[in-house]
Amino acid sequence: MRTFPDDLVRAQREWSATYRQLADRPGRTELRRRLYRLSVQAYFHPCWQRRRPSPAAWWQLREPGNAAGDVRERLPR
């Protein structure tokens, strides 16, 4: 399992929380702007400087506590 810098993990967690808030309250300009800023912060992070992240790397970043093979933890409840 890959390790990520703390600031990148924090940005991804904030992105997920902001995305959920925007889903609950669509049309909120301040939430859309925050989501955009966090997207840029995560996508252009120095961690990805040598090459762009693969879909698997994004998945690992979004699910840092889950083992790669444990699908039960990722299923919606």
Side-chain angles (χ1 to χ4, degrees):
M1 188 132 212
R2 192 183 289 216
T3 59
F4 297 102
D6 291 338
D7 60 333
L8 179 57
V9 172
R10 189 175 325 114
Q12 179 59 48
R13 286 183 183 158
E14 290 178 26
W15 185 94
S16 296
T18 303
Y19 189 85
R20 285 190 299 272
Q21 290 174 3
L22 187 59
D24 291 338
R25 298 180 291 168
R28 302 295 298 243
T29 301
E30 69 276 3
L31 291 176
R32 287 195 324 261
R33 287 179 180 157
R34 179 164 174 70
L35 192 64
Y36 181 78
R37 282 192 304 268
L38 290 167
S39 295
V40 169
Q41 185 179 353
Y43 190 77
F44 293 105
H45 191 275
C47 175
W48 313 123
Q49 202 166 21
R50 291 184 183 224
R51 66 184 180 120
R52 299 312 314 158
S54 66
W58 281 115
W59 182 262
Q60 289 175 353
L61 178 60
R62 289 186 181 121
E63 302 290 334
N66 295 339
D70 194 1
V71 176
R72 291 172 296 159
E73 291 295 321
R74 295 184 295 223
L75 293 176
R77 297 175 188 169

